[in-house]
Amino acid sequence: MNREQDFDQTLKDWLDEGSDHAPERFIWAALDDVERSAQRGAWRVSLEERFVTMKPAALVLVTAAVIIGAIATYQLVLGPNVGEPGPTPQPTAASFSAVDLPDIVLTATSAPEGLTVDSNEFGEPALRVPLRPGGPDIDLTAFVDARMTNLNSTETGGYVSWAALFETAADAETAFEYLVDEHGSAGWQMTRSTVDPGLGDESASFTGAAYGIFERNGTYLWRVGNLVLAAVGVGDYDDDQLRSIAELMNGHTQ
């Protein structure tokens, strides 16, 4: 009779004697086995006893259950799509509306000390102020609104704060590229600086004759989201003052 048959007979005898207590010979035999066995970790002993005493069919079922349980625990702890790269967060383009324009261009209430607003332009007339006469017209399909203020205007010079709003950032990018071309060699033939002004999402600066009034002009052009902005100095403008106007307007978009 083999070990498994001995175990089955012992179990049968125990069941015959009653399930509330084990037969004395079974207990002493178990204690004798413990005395003669090397002590092992409880987790390892439990697993070994299960695999030794289980019959093949039961062993297959328990093994499958253990594997399924391990997979479920792994997914619960580490979450789904382990090892797969998550979606890359995309930056959200700044989005402005027409009500934002008065707070972005310099007005009588936002202009710093020493700068006085002389006049204003609104809507499409404001959009067309920097455009070259006879040049290709700007696409108005996605145009929303524009605002312009003249500051410290005299017969010898002054400053301009200008902003134009478009439906989307892509539309504003198209308008920005158009204005850059119109100020460069294809249009007003101003000289573009090789140094990026570092304003907004993209920017450019120009110097030279333009706008049909003064031979000396300076222009900062930049885009923030769906907004295109410009700070302009004409005639006897001060370079530092023009730069401060551009930075102040850019700060209003933050």
Side-chain angles (χ1 to χ4, degrees):
M1 183 177 293
N2 58 32
R3 180 184 177 92
E4 184 177 346
Q5 290 172 330
D6 289 339
F7 178 79
D8 290 344
Q9 184 60 48
T10 302
L11 181 60
K12 181 177 183 303
D13 292 342
W14 177 46
L15 292 174
D16 290 341
E17 292 178 15
S19 60
D20 59 339
H21 66 278
E24 183 177 348
R25 63 182 180 277
F26 182 81
I27 295 173
W28 284 111
L31 291 174
D32 185 56
D33 283 343
V34 169
E35 262 183 28
R36 288 185 286 103
S37 301
Q39 296 302 306
R40 294 162 292 176
W43 186 28
R44 180 181 173 189
V45 170
S46 176
L47 288 176
E48 287 182 356
E49 287 177 350
R50 289 178 184 275
F51 281 110
V52 168
T53 58
M54 286 177 184
K55 292 185 178 181
L59 180 59
V60 170
L61 291 175
V62 172
T63 302
V66 170
I67 293 173
I68 293 171
I71 293 174
T73 302
Y74 181 76
Q75 292 180 337
L76 179 63
V77 173
L78 297 182
N81 301 323
V82 175
E84 297 180 6
T88 302
Q90 298 296 322
T92 303
S95 182
F96 300 92
S97 64
V99 297
D100 297 318
L101 291 180
D103 296 324
I104 293 171
V105 299
L106 299 191
T107 63
T109 57
S110 64
E113 186 177 355
L115 289 177
T116 303
V117 175
D118 305 312
S119 60
N120 303 273
E121 289 284 356
F122 305 92
E124 188 176 331
L127 175 67
R128 294 186 179 278
V129 168
L131 305 185
R132 176 173 55 96
D137 200 9
I138 188 170
D139 185 3
L140 297 177
T141 304
F143 171 69
V144 177
D145 199 3
R147 188 180 181 100
M148 183 190 79
T149 57
N150 293 314
L151 303 101
N152 288 17
S153 299
T154 68
E155 292 181 356
T156 59
Y159 302 92
V160 174
S161 175
W162 181 93
L165 182 71
F166 297 86
E167 291 181 358
T168 68
D171 297 324
E173 185 175 4
T174 299
F176 172 77
E177 292 171 353
Y178 165 84
L179 288 169
V180 167
D181 288 342
E182 280 299 287
H183 280 76
S185 59
W188 290 111
Q189 298 187 358
M190 298 179 76
T191 301
R192 181 174 180 174
S193 173
T194 57
V195 179
D196 189 325
L199 299 167
D201 299 322
E202 53 185 336
S203 57
S205 63
F206 298 85
T207 55
Y211 313 121
I213 301 176
F214 298 99
E215 290 298 313
R216 179 177 181 264
N217 301 282
T219 299
Y220 287 101
L221 285 171
W222 71 102
R223 180 184 66 83
V224 181
N226 61 328
L227 192 65
V228 180
L229 304 99
V232 180
V234 296
D236 58 359
Y237 73 93
D238 179 77
D239 289 328
D240 292 337
Q241 182 68 79
L242 177 59
R243 177 69 194 193
S244 69
I245 291 173
E247 291 179 348
L248 186 59
M249 292 175 60
N250 192 58
H252 291 171
T253 66
Q254 305 306 309

